[in-house]
Amino acid sequence: MPRFSANLSLLYADLPFLERFRAAKADGFQAVECQFPYESLSGAKLHQIKAVMDELNLAMDLHNLPAGDWASGDRGIACDPARGEEFKIGLLDAIQYAKTLGVPHLNCLSGKLPKGVSFEQAQSAFVSNLTFAAEALKKENIKLLIEPINTFDIPDFFLSSSQHAVDTIMAVKSSNLYLQYDAYHMHRMGENILEIEDLMPFIDHIQVADHPGRHEPGTGEMPYGDFFMMLDDQAYEGWVGCEYHTLHQANFFQAE
């Protein structure tokens, strides 16, 4: 069975951010991840997060790069040709958080295709920003990820298929850019989550949730029993992030 980490942006959502670390530890998780640990969104200062992680002996495996103005509808800015400098400034902030918290992966959300921007223009900006970020993070020993997201949950999201992600990784030509494979998102886009053997060389982080409802595995239609066995067969050694809204009060994964 793979190793599971608790995504603190969706799990324990009724608790203040710092208390979610304690809830994850109480449920047996040894690692966590989150979408945005930044004070403006989490309400927690960097030193407070570091202190509670140290106290609980919890590792954080992943968080996202700053994604623009989330409250105003931004879902990433990396594909926007007009926001390259903002992307670079956000990268510096992300590096500070990742280094302080010991986070080995940073995920870059492409964002939505900007109005008036062609696919080719957006792809050129995306590749340029990723090339810069991958090399900057390589110097810090931090891996850069990109994550395809379904266009039902986020209409117009630019990166929405595994193939587009692989094509982008190949275009960037960096040894420090990988795929974050979110099984929920790719299932929603019609991909078969049991047929990802060709993607495994690119994957360095996985996330799960079931469909419909984006709840824990076993609550919907997705074949997670077979999926987890396939990951074992593929000798996947990374964390699997539990990024879902809990349907039942007891957590699906009570990990030892």
Side-chain angles (χ1 to χ4, degrees), residues 139-151:
K139 295 175 183 177
E140 306 292 349
N141 199 30
I142 299 169
K143 293 180 178 180
L144 179 63
L145 307 175
I146 51 175
E147 176 188 14
I149 291 178
N150 80 79
T151 53

Side-chain angles (χ1 to χ4, degrees), residues 3-247:
R3 301 182 301 160
F4 298 101
S5 62
N7 187 291
L8 301 185
S9 297
L10 271 66
L11 292 179
Y12 318 110
D14 58 326
L15 298 175
F17 186 68
L18 292 176
E19 290 304 312
R20 299 178 195 182
F21 290 86
R22 301 186 188 281
K25 184 70 173 184
D27 277 343
F29 288 103
Q30 301 302 311
V32 299
E33 61 181 55
C34 67
Q35 295 172 353
F36 304 105
Y38 312 107
E39 184 178 354
S40 60
L41 291 174
S42 71
K45 297 182 183 298
L46 178 56
H47 75 272
Q48 293 175 316
I49 299 172
K50 178 68 163 59
V52 75
M53 286 174 57
D54 288 347
E55 175 193 343
L56 299 172
N57 193 28
L58 271 177
M60 184 180 291
D61 186 57
L62 167 81
H63 66 75
N64 292 337
L65 297 180
D69 188 343
W70 197 265
S72 296
D74 284 340
R75 294 297 181 266
I77 59 174
C79 73
D80 191 335
R83 301 175 77 173
E85 287 306 310
E86 182 182 351
F87 177 86
K88 291 178 180 179
I89 292 171
L91 177 64
L92 294 177
D93 200 17
I95 288 173
Q96 178 188 5
Y97 271 78
K99 289 178 66 177
T100 300
L101 300 177
V103 176
H105 296 104
L106 287 175
N107 181 46
C108 176
L109 298 176
S110 70
K112 296 180 279 189
L113 182 65
K115 292 182 179 179
V117 174
S118 69
F119 176 90
E120 291 75 18
Q121 290 170 322
Q123 181 69 4
S124 178
F126 193 34
V127 169
S128 177
N129 283 326
L130 291 173
T131 299
F132 179 86
E135 292 312 301
L137 293 177
K138 188 175 183 178
K139 295 175 183 177
E140 306 292 349
N141 199 30
I142 299 169
K143 293 180 178 180
L144 179 63
L145 307 175
I146 51 175
E147 176 188 14
I149 291 178
N150 80 79
T151 53
F152 300 98
D153 289 359
I154 305 181
D156 299 320
F157 197 80
F158 182 64
L159 186 68
S160 60
S161 74
S162 296
Q163 186 59 57
H164 186 187
V166 170
D167 291 345
T168 300
I169 291 170
M170 300 301 290
V172 170
K173 299 177 182 178
S174 171
S175 61
N176 194 41
L177 180 61
Y178 302 87
L179 171 62
Q180 176 174 300
Y181 186 82
D182 188 308
Y184 163 79
H185 286 302
M186 293 302 88
H187 173 80
R188 292 219 66 190
M189 292 303 293
E191 297 187 18
N192 187 340
I193 68 169
L194 300 182
E195 296 181 357
I196 64 170
E197 288 85 355
D198 291 344
L199 297 177
M200 293 305 295
F202 300 95
I203 293 173
D204 215 72
H205 189 74
I206 290 172
Q207 291 177 329
V208 294
D210 217 327
H211 180 261
R214 201 174 183 179
H215 299 303
E216 58 265 45
T219 59
E221 67 192 15
M222 296 176 63
Y224 272 116
D226 291 338
F227 181 74
F228 295 143
M229 286 192 290
M230 181 269 296
L231 294 184
D232 285 343
D233 290 342
Q234 292 292 316
Y236 175 71
E237 296 180 349
W239 292 98
V240 174
C242 300
E243 192 185 38
Y244 51 73
H245 305 282
T246 306
L247 181 62

